[in-house]
Amino acid sequence: MSDYKKLIFDRQDAVTTITLNRPEVHNALDRELSAELKDAILAVRADRECRVMILRGAGDTFCAGDDIKEFNEWKGDESYWQVRLYQETVQLIEDLTPVTIAAVDGVCTGGGLELTLVCDFVVATDRSRWGMPEIDWDITPGWGGLSRIPKFAGRRKAKEWNLIGMMFTAEKAERYDLVNRVVAPEELDDQVAQLTHIMLQKHPMTVRRTKFALNKSADLPVQGALAFEVPIMPYARGSSGLKDFKSADSRKKRRELSKDFWAD
């Protein structure tokens, strides 16, 4: 699928931005957009030059989750196949080699919130609104709202959000580890750009290895997880990092790159 109708796929050098593009319905994911999103993620996975992927929504909103009106049109076991497609898509995002950043503004609910759970970084505006409202429509989350949220926020908050279904603020999302940084709406693009710049300055092999180890060891006992920290091959080939560490001047130069970024 190369000509997308409901998302925008923009590749600029090593950075790919995927923009959900149904702002008239808060970028809700119908069957067509869901299929396009999976296809776009597969394209990123195949692109060995991509180092950062940014996921965002068109207009002043991120994603309201599934287009629930469309559920009324589903027949037979279509719900099974759609949910499996959703789950495959979020797993693809979580397993991507590039660093992934969700830029969140406005509505971030249901499947939209679940999309952020598999991104490496989440930068959100202070006006963004979060929630898992599926229970109000007599359905259950299918993208990880029941399984992934407890890993971030704990079982108590996962039950509160999923069983009550109320909306909550970006400040609360940050407090319970769903968000890395809350910013003013006018600062969102700049913060994402700064974060992208910093990631591009890091050695790609080291970033890949670190992200892989973090993701794959997260659910293992410590003794098993430590295996991912053993360098089974030399540290990044062609890297000057270890040599730079010998010099105070070069150490200072490297540290300046990320000094005080999100220091508070």
Side-chain angles (χ1 to χ4, degrees), residues 35 41 59 106 136 197 254:
I41 298 302
D136 289 335
H197 173 72
R254 280 179 171 256

Side-chain angles (χ1 to χ4, degrees), residues 10-262:
D10 180 44
R11 185 185 187 279
Q12 299 292 331
D13 299 320
V15 180
T16 296
T17 301
I18 296 175
T19 304
L20 307 176
N21 193 27
R22 298 184 73 209
E24 70 281 3
V25 289
H26 297 292
N27 301 313
L29 294 146
D30 62 3
R31 281 172 290 191
E32 186 174 17
L33 178 52
S34 297
E36 289 186 355
L37 177 59
K38 183 178 181 181
D39 185 85
I41 298 302
L42 286 170
V44 173
R45 186 180 70 170
D47 183 359
R48 296 189 180 185
E49 302 303 314
C50 180
R51 294 191 55 201
V52 176
M53 187 199 80
I54 301 167
L55 181 63
R56 63 190 316 145
D60 297 330
T61 195
F62 180 66
C63 177
D66 300 313
D67 191 336
I68 296 176
K69 295 189 301 294
E70 190 184 60
F71 287 14
N72 293 289
E73 303 170 11
W74 291 2
K75 295 179 175 62
D77 62 354
E78 190 169 2
S79 60
Y80 169 84
W81 293 108
Q82 282 299 123
V83 170
R84 292 297 295 130
L85 180 146
Y86 298 156
Q87 293 178 348
E88 289 164 5
T89 300
V90 291
Q91 194 60 51
L92 284 168
I93 296 173
E94 186 168 72
D95 289 338
L96 283 176
T97 295
V99 169
T100 54
I101 304 171
V104 177
D105 192 15
V107 176
C108 182
T109 57
L113 190 157
E114 289 166 312
L115 282 171
T116 70
L117 297 175
V118 291
C119 290
D120 300 315
F121 294 98
V122 181
V123 184
T125 67
D126 54 17
R127 68 183 178 188
S128 61
R129 299 287 291 169
W130 299 67
M132 295 298 297
E134 283 89 340
I135 197 163
D136 289 335
W137 315 116
D138 299 338
I139 57 177
T140 54
W143 302 52
L146 303 180
S147 56
R148 284 191 170 94
I149 287 180
K151 298 180 186 298
F152 288 87
R155 189 180 302 180
R156 296 292 182 195
K157 280 298 171 184
K159 287 184 177 181
E160 177 184 319
W161 295 336
N162 280 287
L163 291 175
I164 298 175
M166 80 293 189
M167 301 284 282
F168 54 94
T169 65
E171 186 273 333
K172 180 172 286 190
E174 182 184 33
R175 191 189 321 155
Y176 288 97
D177 292 333
L178 301 186
V179 171
N180 293 95
R181 187 72 170 176
V182 176
V183 300
E186 62 272 17
E187 297 175 352
L188 180 61
D189 290 347
D190 181 63
Q191 285 287 314
V192 170
Q194 288 185 48
L195 177 57
T196 298
H197 173 72
I198 287 177
M199 288 295 98
L200 292 175
Q201 304 311 303
K202 309 295 185 182
H203 195 286
M205 184 183 293
T206 310
V207 171
R208 290 200 303 264
R209 178 171 173 79
T210 303
K211 173 177 172 173
F212 181 84
L214 283 166
N215 279 350
K216 298 306 179 184
S217 65
D219 297 323
L220 295 176
V222 172
Q223 289 303 312
L226 284 171
F228 286 98
E229 299 188 26
V230 177
I232 58 176
M233 61 183 296
Y235 289 110
R237 294 190 181 97
S239 168
S240 60
L242 294 178
K243 293 179 181 178
D244 284 351
F245 191 80
K246 296 179 180 180
S247 163
D249 288 341
S250 59
R251 286 201 305 271
K252 181 179 179 181
K253 184 177 180 181
R254 280 179 171 256
R255 288 168 176 160
E256 284 295 327
L257 174 65
S258 51
K259 183 181 179 181
D260 298 330
F261 187 69
W262 290 353

